[in-house]
Amino acid sequence: MSGRSGRARHASGHPFAGRSGHGDRDGGPGSGEDHGFRSLLGARSVAGQVLLLQILVAVLLITAAVAAVTFQTRRGSEQEAKSRSLAAAESFADAPGTARALTSPDPAAALQRHVDDARLGSGVDFIAVMAPDGIRYVDTDRTLIGTRAEGVERAAAGTAFAEIFEGAPNDAARAVVPVRDADGEVVGLVGAGVAIENVGAAVDRHLPILLGSGAAALALAVGSSALVSRRLRRQTHGLGPTEMTRMYEHHNAVLHAVREGVLLVGGGGRLTLANDEARRLLELPADAEGRHVTELGLDEDITELLASGRTVTDEVHLAADRLLAVNTRHTAPYGGASATVATLRDTTELRALSGTAEVARERLKLLYEAGVRIGTTLDVKRTAEELSEVAVPRFADFVSVELLDPVLRGEEPTEEHTQMRRAALSGIRADPPLQPVGDRILFDEPTTPMAAALASGHAVLEADLTVARGWRAQDPEGADETLAYGIHSLIAVPLQARGVVMGMANFWRSERAERFEEEDLAFAEELAARAAVAIDNARRFTREHTMAVTLQRSLLPRVLPEQEALEVAYRYLPAQAGVGGDWFDVIPLPGARVALVVGDVVGHGLHAAATMGRLRTAVHNFSALDLPPDELLGHLDELVSRIDQEEGGDGGGDGITGATCLYAIYDPVSGHCCVATAGHFAPALVLPDGSVDFPKVPVFPPLGLGGGPFETAELHLPEGSRLVLYTDGLIEHRDRDVDTGLRLLHDTLADHGNRTAEETCRAVFSAMLPPHRRDDIALLVARTRLLDPDRVADWDVPADPSAVAPVRAACGRQLAAWGLGDIGFTTELMLSELITNAIRYGSEPIHVRLLRERHLICEVSDGSSTSPHLRRAATTDEGGRGLYLVSQFAGRWGTRYTPTGKVMWTEQPLNGGPQPVPGLLLDDLSW
């Protein structure tokens, strides 16, 4: 190692660079030996030569493999020795006492024993500890102590390294690592290494295994080569190279020199051989040989003939633009495997007929493509565009399509055909001198081919527009511009379905020199007829879709009602292929409360939209009764069941079972929200801190299945919470399941905690709107507000008539504090009547509450569920006028029932209302 003067070779360099190795001795074979080898090759058959060459190749490959593995093993051993040396040196250098010992008065005494122990424990051949200049303090070989190690300058500079060292006293894989003190200064060096002879010993241990594996591989290669040679000898019949070369050259020359196509098809229907002429005539791919004839892209008739193995003579078949005379024969009687040989001859005298057949075939293909491409959507304009696109450029250079305005709107076409709207324009160039899409096209001049086609109901041909005076009569300037552009031929075809004209299709030619001919008329009419049927279907769908959407939107809320409990935003999108039964609602309730509703009627079309309207109306009616959510859904379930029975009894078979609904009531005074659902998804709740939760709401079957009695979930919503109600079209479609949709909704809502309701709607639709809507989507977002406690006043009332006056006075003072003195008298009058009725006819506890919201709300609750009724008292009656007075003075009033009793409530506008009528007060003041 160190101190051993010599050259250091890095791991990345050549392992023997700079060393004088043994020279290769050229022991080339003598001329006699070389002559014998060539004679051996010349005397053998092709099979024998292949056997010998395979053995030689196997020997070379195995030798190379053994050498490569040996070299790689040696390289790996050297690399492992360097890694081991570096690990030993670093471990000793990083030992706690090494740096301290190097700075002691006698480093050798302190480190010698540790060096010997470390060498034995690490598996290296030597370890040395040196001063920064390379002078050894300690070395496994004590004869080297005090000498200077060479090539350690990099470690003295602070860089540890590992290398293959070559020099005295022996070559080694060594590593040198600096030792640093607490200040980071290099105070010494530690070197460790493994002698190269020990590294080579590991390689020598592997040589027997490598040589044995090579011998086994050679034996296997010789055996397999013998088997291959035997098989080849049978295949070549023992022929030598000269005979086989001559046979192949003659066969190849004859096969490809003849001017007839030759095919050889095996018994399995696979192409075995094809000469150059056959490839040209049939336009075979380069890799045709070996493939089945059905995979070669040949015409159906030729494919069937070659696959069948039939024997035919001069049978004519169409192949691309050629008519071929085909002959087929079997090879079985003449030796060889069973196969069919076919000869092909190009019949040049029938090429004109072949061209006509090709045109007819191309037209049939175009008509088939038109049937596939036209009418892919139920959109009128898109269907017209598909007609114009399918005919360009294979039939016409430009195609324009005009439709009647009622057809574009989805209505029945009118009898007036003198003007249409251009719906589509396609061509080989983007700048034709034709009126653009959207322009009104007039057909006032009866001499034009368009007007003539509409009048006759058949296609009209103008083969040469340069001499067509009738065509120029409508617009001479436009005609001149069209001719200057190069358009020279026209076919005008009316678009008719069910005998009714939908529009007009015009086919123009400009780039191609040939003009339209009479035989093109039938094709143009067939193409237009197929397009007209598709346009009529799209028109009918457009009409029905428009009617359904109109009905649906008329049944949905156009504006949300005014209320202060919630900040509400919504989105609604009908399905693209039809309308469904999704709906939503925001319904103000007494006591400043608000009801939120989201529902979905399974199905699409007018029936679903009409059913949705019935259910929405029913929810409004039940809400007017101020029913709790569970009772309301119970009544709605009964209604749906009854509707199902009625519609099923009519024989229609289209019940509405599957309608779902979620109903929630939010109270801004307490911040509580009660929710019930019938088969609908639970709402998402976004708390003010931005966290998102899907509250657990009792799950019940959809409406109409008798899933009641329903249950209600009670939620507490802090101010600023957002309640998100939605239908299944938002979270579920064919490319996304429900769980994925709910996770995406959760992640979208969790982005920010301070969004407004409108911003939340926008974010949800931006992230979750599917590209193609197969179902309606309804989204309702409500951000909660709490009523300020300063705007709420309440009192408990004893069941004593004498308590009416104090409560009435307290209410008057509260109204004055709110600045509502103008309505104080009427309010006190109504409260007196309601409190008196509660004391007289109700039961304890009796409670009075005033709410100052958009209206002044007065509530008197008691523990009785007895329902008060408004009646008109007779002139001689002493009482019975109290509720009548309340109905006259209050803007709205009513009764709602609670689990513990009932609440009588009134609403009054804050800016005053009906004033007391003296005649009406006489009876009340007689208390």
Side-chain angles (χ1 to χ4, degrees):
M1 190 192 129
S2 44
R4 305 162 174 85
S5 60
R7 298 171 306 280
R9 173 171 55 85
H10 297 292
S12 61
H14 194 284
F16 302 107
R19 305 187 73 184
S20 58
H22 297 287
D24 295 332
R25 292 180 296 176
D26 296 331
S31 59
E33 183 181 354
D34 182 69
H35 175 72
F37 181 74
R38 289 197 302 270
S39 299
L40 180 62
L41 289 178
R44 287 181 176 274
S45 64
V46 172
Q49 293 185 18
V50 169
L51 173 61
L52 182 58
L53 290 175
Q54 284 181 326
I55 294 174
L56 291 176
V57 170
V59 170
L60 292 176
L61 291 177
I62 294 171
T63 303
V66 171
V69 172
T70 302
F71 176 74
Q72 182 64 29
T73 303
R74 183 173 185 82
R75 289 295 299 272
S77 299
E78 290 180 355
Q79 186 63 34
E80 191 271 338
K82 289 193 296 181
S83 300
R84 191 177 354 137
S85 300
L86 182 60
E90 287 179 340
S91 298
F92 197 89
D94 294 337
T98 303
R100 186 170 58 254
L102 286 171
T103 57
S104 67
D106 189 1
L111 294 173
Q112 184 63 53
R113 182 173 58 83
H114 297 293
V115 166
D116 294 337
D117 294 341
R119 183 188 70 80
L120 294 176
S122 61
V124 297
D125 292 337
F126 56 84
I127 296 178
V129 181
M130 299 161 279
D133 58 358
I135 299 299
R136 295 181 179 81
Y137 291 142
V138 182
D139 196 310
T140 305
D141 186 356
R142 288 174 171 74
T143 62
L144 297 177
I145 296 175
T147 60
R148 183 184 300 277
E150 301 296 334
V152 297
E153 289 79 6
R154 285 182 291 163
T159 303
F161 66 91
E163 64 182 6
I164 300 299
F165 177 82
E166 297 175 351
N170 57 0
D171 297 344
R174 74 170 185 176
V176 184
V177 178
V179 180
R180 301 178 184 272
D181 59 9
D183 297 329
E185 295 293 331
V186 177
V187 298
L189 308 175
V190 175
V194 179
I196 289 298
E197 57 266 22
N198 293 333
V199 175
V203 178
D204 296 339
R205 288 194 300 271
H206 290 84
L207 281 177
I209 298 176
L210 295 176
L211 293 176
S213 300
L218 180 59
L220 181 62
V222 171
S224 62
S225 298
L227 293 176
V228 172
S229 177
R230 182 179 179 183
R231 176 67 177 174
L232 184 60
R233 185 179 296 108
R234 288 201 302 268
Q235 294 293 330
T236 60
H237 302 284
L239 295 176
T242 303
E243 292 84 356
M244 292 193 64
T245 300
R246 182 169 60 251
M247 181 181 295
Y248 174 77
E249 290 176 348
H250 291 172
H251 167 271
N252 199 45
V254 173
L255 182 66
H256 297 291
V258 297
R259 300 317 302 163
E260 283 193 356
V262 179
L263 298 174
L264 189 62
V265 181
R270 295 189 176 276
L271 181 64
T272 303
L273 181 145
N275 69 348
D276 293 343
E277 183 68 6
R279 291 179 180 274
R280 184 184 69 84
L281 293 176
L282 297 179
E283 298 180 357
L284 295 175
D287 59 344
E289 293 177 347
R291 296 169 59 181
H292 198 277
V293 292
T294 57
E295 303 173 358
L296 301 177
L298 303 177
D299 284 2
E300 184 178 352
D301 292 343
I302 293 182
T303 301
E304 187 276 331
L305 174 61
L306 296 178
S308 67
R310 291 187 291 111
T311 299
V312 299
T313 301
D314 288 337
E315 190 172 283
V316 178
H317 290 272
L318 179 64
D321 58 348
R322 301 179 180 90
L323 282 176
L324 304 179
V326 184
N327 295 270
T328 58
R329 294 292 185 272
H330 293 289
T331 62
Y334 308 102
S338 177
T340 299
V341 62
T343 60
L344 314 171
R345 186 176 68 256
D346 190 1
T347 56
T348 55
E349 65 275 8
L350 297 178
R351 285 189 177 176
L353 179 59
S354 175
T356 303
E358 174 63 21
V359 171
R361 187 178 69 165
E362 180 64 24
R363 294 288 171 83
L364 289 175
K365 286 184 177 180
L366 186 55
L367 284 176
Y368 170 76
E369 185 176 340
V372 173
R373 291 178 54 185
I374 298 176
T376 58
T377 66
L378 291 173
D379 181 81
V380 174
K381 288 193 64 176
R382 180 56 194 153
T383 305
E385 292 170 355
E386 290 169 343
L387 167 61
S388 65
E389 292 167 357
V390 76
V392 176
R394 287 188 288 175
F395 181 65
D397 296 326
F398 296 95
V399 177
S400 60
V401 180
E402 293 81 47
L403 298 176
L404 294 168
D405 284 335
V407 175
L408 287 170
R409 295 192 298 267
E411 302 172 0
E412 285 289 339
T414 62
E415 298 294 333
E416 179 62 42
H417 303 152
T418 58
Q419 60 181 6
M420 298 182 184
R421 186 79 58 182
R422 179 146 291 169
L425 177 61
S426 298
I428 57 175
R429 293 169 59 184
D431 59 343
L434 303 173
Q435 289 179 256
V437 173
D439 270 16
R440 178 174 296 179
I441 310 298
L442 302 178
F443 304 114
D444 296 334
E445 182 58 48
T447 60
T448 62
M450 294 80 167
L454 290 172
S456 64
H458 297 285
V460 172
L461 168 66
E462 284 291 354
D464 189 356
L465 292 177
T466 59
V467 297
R469 297 185 178 180
W471 171 68
R472 299 172 58 88
Q474 181 77 34
D475 183 9
E477 295 181 1
D480 292 339
E481 184 179 356
T482 302
L483 293 175
Y485 184 82
I487 294 177
H488 57 78
S489 190
L490 164 68
I491 291 181
V493 189
L495 297 174
Q496 301 179 96
R498 300 176 292 108
V500 179
V501 173
M502 303 284 167
M504 166 72 63
N506 301 305
F507 303 91
W508 314 79
R509 281 185 179 173
S510 62
E511 296 296 324
R512 63 180 74 188
E514 62 271 19
R515 300 184 177 93
F516 286 118
E517 299 176 350
E518 290 292 336
E519 55 265 25
D520 294 322
L521 291 176
F523 174 76
E525 285 189 339
E526 178 65 22
L527 188 61
R530 298 191 179 197
V533 172
I535 289 173
D536 189 44
N537 291 337
R539 178 196 63 79
R540 294 186 178 192
F541 172 80
T542 300
R543 179 187 61 186
E544 294 180 2
H545 183 70
T546 302
M547 291 172 58
V549 170
T550 302
L551 172 63
Q552 186 183 44
R553 291 195 178 278
S554 67
L555 296 174
L556 290 171
R558 299 187 179 182
V559 294
L560 296 181
E562 294 183 2
Q563 46 82 32
E564 294 184 358
L566 297 168
E567 173 196 344
V568 180
Y570 68 93
R571 292 290 189 277
Y572 181 84
L573 285 178
Q576 291 176 323
V579 295
D582 294 13
W583 91 91
F584 66 93
D585 239 322
V586 178
I587 306 172
L589 298 176
R593 298 167 305 138
V594 177
L596 301 175
V597 190
V598 170
D600 182 7
V601 176
V602 176
H604 295 86
L606 289 173
H607 181 268
T611 302
M612 176 269 290
R614 298 171 71 178
L615 295 183
R616 179 171 176 256
T617 302
V619 170
H620 269 270
N621 292 335
F622 292 140
S623 297
L625 300 176
D626 210 344
L627 299 175
D630 53 344
E631 292 186 22
L632 185 142
L633 290 182
H635 289 295
L636 202 61
D637 182 61
E638 293 178 3
L639 174 63
V640 173
S641 299
R642 187 166 60 252
I643 294 175
D644 267 345
Q645 294 173 0
E646 293 173 355
E647 294 188 353
D650 294 338
D654 293 331
I656 60 171
T657 300
T660 66
C661 182
L662 184 145
Y663 189 83
I665 297 178
Y666 173 69
D667 186 350
V669 178
S670 63
H672 283 84
C673 180
C674 50
V675 183
T677 177
H680 205 85
F681 290 102
L685 176 60
V686 186
L687 296 176
D689 61 0
S691 60
V692 180
D693 185 25
F694 291 90
K696 292 184 179 179
V697 179
V699 179
F700 288 90
L703 299 173
L705 298 180
F710 297 92
E711 295 181 13
T712 299
E714 297 286 343
L715 308 176
H716 177 70
L717 307 183
E719 187 171 15
S721 301
R722 282 168 289 159
L723 199 63
V724 181
L725 287 67
Y726 51 89
T727 56
D728 58 353
L730 179 68
I731 60 173
E732 181 184 17
H733 55 84
R734 63 179 182 180
D735 298 325
R736 183 172 66 207
D737 59 22
V738 173
D739 292 337
T740 303
L742 290 175
R743 286 195 299 270
L744 181 57
L745 178 61
H746 178 281
D747 296 341
T748 303
L749 295 174
D751 285 345
H752 299 283
N754 271 339
R755 283 178 176 157
T756 64
E758 179 61 32
E759 290 171 344
T760 302
C761 280
R762 191 160 47 245
V764 170
F765 259 46
S766 176
M768 303 191 61
L769 195 64
H772 300 288
R773 300 187 305 277
R774 293 178 173 269
D775 197 2
D776 293 6
I777 297 176
L779 174 65
L780 185 63
V781 179
R783 184 169 183 173
T784 61
R785 302 185 181 118
L786 289 179
L787 195 61
D788 193 327
D790 293 340
R791 300 168 65 182
V792 180
D794 56 352
W795 301 267
D796 290 325
V797 182
D800 185 354
S802 63
V804 176
V807 173
R808 177 173 176 170
C811 292
R813 290 191 298 271
Q814 183 64 58
L815 294 176
W818 283 343
L820 302 178
D822 293 342
I823 60 174
F825 180 74
T826 54
T827 303
E828 293 177 23
L829 184 63
M830 290 187 294
L831 281 173
S832 296
E833 177 60 33
L834 296 179
I835 296 172
T836 301
N837 283 344
I839 294 173
R840 181 178 301 173
Y841 304 111
S843 62
E844 292 186 305
I846 302 173
H847 191 77
V848 176
R849 186 172 70 167
L850 299 182
L851 304 177
R852 183 179 178 272
E853 198 211 15
R854 294 170 48 251
H855 302 84
L856 176 64
I857 302 171
C858 303
E859 296 180 344
V860 177
S861 61
D862 65 80
S864 171
S865 59
T866 303
S867 176
H869 296 283
L870 176 65
R871 66 186 182 89
R872 185 176 294 275
T875 306
T876 58
D877 289 344
E878 295 184 0
R881 299 178 178 84
L883 289 182
Y884 178 70
L885 289 174
V886 172
S887 67
Q888 294 299 308
F889 296 147
R892 292 198 313 151
W893 71 281
T895 306
R896 72 171 182 271
Y897 295 92
T898 66
T900 60
K902 67 176 182 298
V903 177
M904 291 289 296
W905 58 269
T906 65
E907 284 186 5
Q908 297 170 262
L910 300 179
N911 57 355
Q915 296 300 314
V917 180
L920 294 175
L921 299 179
L922 295 178
D923 183 70
D924 187 69
L925 294 178
S926 63
W927 294 347

